[in-house]
């Protein structure tokens, strides 16, 4: 897909922070069926982690316009890219807020 620049505010829930997660680079990509509906996120795991990560996206007016989740199981010290694929009708504009919960 096409990579798009990312300028959104990143919010990580206290629960994920306490679970040892850190967010690195984020990219917006397109799937075969839609434009700019994949949030590719580099996540650093400072502790063992097993659970579901929910992602919500909000526009500049704080209106939610997308949410998805991914089940993740990894060990302390790992870091990897994880794709969060939103509904095909979601076009991530890269401005606003992205919330990881």
């Amino acid at each position: 897909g096409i990579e798009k620049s990312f300028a959104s505010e990143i919010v990580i829930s206290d629960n994920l922070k306490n679970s040892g997660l850190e967010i690195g680079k984020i990219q917006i990509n397109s799937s075969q069926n839609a434009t700019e509906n994949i949030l590719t996120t580099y996540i650093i795991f400072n502790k063992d982690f097993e659970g579901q990560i929910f992602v919500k996206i909000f526009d500049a007016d704080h209106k939610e316009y997308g949410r998805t989740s991914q089940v993740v199981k990894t060990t302390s010290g790992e870091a990897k890219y994880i794709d969060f694929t939103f509904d095909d009708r979601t076009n991530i504009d890269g401005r606003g807020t992205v919330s990881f919960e």
Side-chain angles (χ1 to χ4, degrees):
I2 298 169
E3 183 181 321
K4 183 177 179 180
S5 63
F6 189 80
S8 291
E9 175 186 4
I10 306 301
V11 177
I12 306 169
S13 71
D14 288 339
N15 185 40
L16 289 181
K17 285 181 189 176
N18 294 335
S19 295
L21 270 71
E22 291 181 46
I23 303 297
K25 185 175 182 174
I26 295 178
Q27 301 171 338
I28 300 169
N29 295 294
S30 299
S31 66
Q32 290 181 349
N33 301 324
T35 302
E36 298 170 346
N37 69 319
I38 299 173
L39 196 69
T40 301
T41 307
Y42 187 76
I43 302 179
I44 302 150
F45 299 91
N46 296 309
K47 298 179 183 178
D48 290 352
F49 183 84
E50 183 173 357
Q52 195 163 15
I53 300 174
F54 291 88
V55 179
K56 298 177 185 175
I57 50 177
F58 301 86
D59 66 15
D61 295 323
H62 307 292
K63 302 231 186 253
E64 181 180 332
Y65 68 97
R67 75 169 62 184
T68 191
S69 66
Q70 189 72 260
V71 175
V72 177
K73 181 178 180 180
T74 190
T75 57
S76 177
E78 286 192 32
K80 57 184 167 183
Y81 283 99
I82 299 175
D83 288 334
F84 294 94
T85 303
F86 291 85
D87 183 283
D88 287 349
R89 295 167 287 189
T90 303
N91 186 321
I92 304 168
D93 66 11
R95 293 176 303 275
T97 303
V98 176
S99 174
F100 292 85
E101 302 171 7

